[in-house]
Amino acid sequence: MAQRARPQQQRAAQTRRALLDATVDLLALHGVERLTTTAIVRRAHVSPGTFYRYFVDRAAILAVLRDEAVRAIEDDLMVSVVAALDIDVDAAMRSIVVTLVDAFERHRAVILAMVSQLPAGHHANVLPEIEADLHQLASLLPRRHRPDLLPERLEAVVFLTMGVLVSTCLRIALQRPPEVDRDELVDLATAMLVAGLGPGR
């Protein structure tokens, strides 16, 4: 019985993944405004009934994709922050900026779908979990490079640095004008963030 259940579970997981991947493809092609369950099932080559076996509606599949994107971005950022502890502050901050911009670009279609559904659009805090869940981790970098900071000053630096880091990297990944060089923006963001860690600021 268990052996028969395993292939069924694998097929179910594959079908669910096909629906999720089809949704990402459609978001990348047409944006969230033209996303329908009909388009998703056509793209995934399944029946409408199959879609509703896994997801209640379009909002439900978008919520799953959002959670997946947040987890993946958090994982990337965690690895980058840990690696950044052993290098100088400029290189460390640049590495983190590049990691976040890359991650946001990889999940661009899903993030843009999220942005378009928020009342404040691009001005909203699109990914509050990334700031909240990694607050402790984020404090490692200023703690390492600014051991002289008092706890309340460290808290202020971490609070602002994470907010500026996430919003700046989102702007670079999602809103960069075509004529503006990506590396130049990464360098500018790095310089701003390093200045925020500097003494007497």
Side-chain angles (χ1 to χ4, degrees):
M1 192 71 166
Q3 285 183 336
R4 189 185 307 161
R6 194 171 294 126
Q8 288 176 341
Q9 289 168 350
Q10 288 173 339
R11 274 197 301 279
Q14 289 169 349
T15 302
R16 184 175 184 274
R17 185 73 257 162
L19 287 163
L20 290 164
D21 291 344
T23 304
V24 173
D25 291 345
L26 290 167
L27 288 172
L29 286 169
H30 307 297
V32 73
E33 296 79 16
R34 291 178 53 192
L35 183 72
T36 63
T37 55
T38 302
I40 295 168
V41 298
R42 280 191 190 140
R43 183 89 180 183
H45 306 293
V46 299
S47 70
T50 300
F51 177 92
Y52 292 109
R53 208 174 301 146
Y54 297 95
F55 304 101
V56 176
D57 55 17
R58 184 185 92 144
I61 198 166
L62 287 172
V64 171
L65 287 170
R66 181 190 192 286
D67 290 345
E68 284 188 351
V70 166
R71 277 196 306 275
I73 293 165
E74 285 177 342
D75 289 347
D76 289 348
L77 187 55
M78 209 174 294
V79 170
S80 182
V81 169
V82 171
L85 294 176
D86 296 324
I87 54 181
D88 71 81
V89 67
D90 291 74
M93 198 58 79
R94 191 176 203 286
S95 172
I96 292 168
V97 170
V98 169
T99 296
L100 261 186
V101 172
D102 287 347
F104 290 153
E105 286 177 346
R106 257 193 316 279
H107 300 281
R108 176 185 175 85
V110 174
I111 295 171
L112 285 173
M114 291 159 40
V115 167
S116 72
Q117 295 179 325
L118 294 170
H122 282 283
H123 303 291
N125 188 357
V126 183
L127 300 166
E129 303 96 323
I130 290 178
E131 290 181 52
D133 292 350
L134 295 177
H135 190 81
Q136 283 301 108
L137 185 67
S139 72
L140 295 175
L141 199 59
R143 217 185 285 277
R144 172 65 63 94
H145 293 287
R146 291 296 313 280
D148 57 306
L149 290 177
L150 295 172
E152 60 274 11
R153 175 67 176 168
L154 176 68
E155 183 65 23
V157 167
V158 172
F159 172 74
L160 280 183
T161 301
M162 276 308 287
V164 170
L165 175 66
V166 172
S167 62
T168 301
C169 291
L170 274 169
R171 285 180 67 80
I172 295 170
L174 305 183
Q175 297 176 283
R176 177 175 63 85
E179 68 277 8
V180 177
D181 183 66
R182 182 184 188 267
D183 287 339
E184 186 177 349
L185 289 177
V186 166
D187 290 341
L188 281 169
T190 301
M192 284 177 5
L193 290 159
V194 169
L197 289 178
R201 291 181 172 84

